[in-house]
Amino acid sequence: MKRRNLSFTETLNDSHSFLFFDHIEQQSYILILMAHDKVGVEVLKKYIEHCMNKQINHYIVIYQKSITSTCLKILNNFFEYNIELFPLDQFKFDITRLKYYTKHEKVSDNEKKRLKKLYQGSNLPVILSSDPIVRYFGFKKD
């Protein structure tokens, strides 16, 4: 959360959910830690209903081992919410501390235009939304 420049605001009622705020984007995030080995519909419903009352659209969900395909379908249909899912094992080490890690950063619209003009004839590399670094920093399309 710190790497995304999110500051801790408060622990929510259930002590498994935490409120964070992004001062740059001016939006709130809820981090949900699901301590169940396998997350099914009932477990998901319990956490999500509680948090949806906060009228926040961005969620980061960290689950223990697995999440059922039914839960994934349900989460994909919450179009008005941005829900990021991470299995706990992805946090065993910090991927930005690996030896061959190259720094990633967002560029401004002006910088994008400049780069496109500079490399006119060639295509700029594209990074997929499924890339671990993109997911780590929560980068969005474009």
Side-chain angles (χ1 to χ4, degrees), residues 50-87:
H50 171 72
C51 293
M52 300 256 172
N53 294 335
K54 297 282 184 194
Q55 297 180 347
I56 294 173
N57 294 338
H58 197 105
Y59 297 85
I60 298 171
V61 178
I62 300 174
Y63 57 92
Q64 190 76 22
K65 291 188 179 176
S66 64
I67 190 164
T68 65
S69 58
T70 307
C71 285
L72 292 174
K73 286 178 188 173
I74 290 169
L75 291 172
N76 286 334
N77 289 324
F78 281 47
F79 298 117
E80 67 272 14
Y81 299 102
N82 181 0
I83 302 172
E84 297 178 61
L85 297 170
F86 294 96

Side-chain angles (χ1 to χ4, degrees), residues 113-124:
K113 288 175 188 173
R114 189 187 73 74
L115 288 169
K116 284 181 180 180
K117 190 174 183 179
L118 182 66
Y119 296 103
Q120 216 169 29
S122 62
N123 292 329
L124 291 174

Side-chain angles (χ1 to χ4, degrees), residues 84-96:
E84 297 178 61
L85 297 170
F86 294 96
L88 185 60
D89 2 343
Q90 285 189 359
F91 295 95
K92 288 183 179 175
F93 57 90
D94 183 350
I95 57 178
T96 64

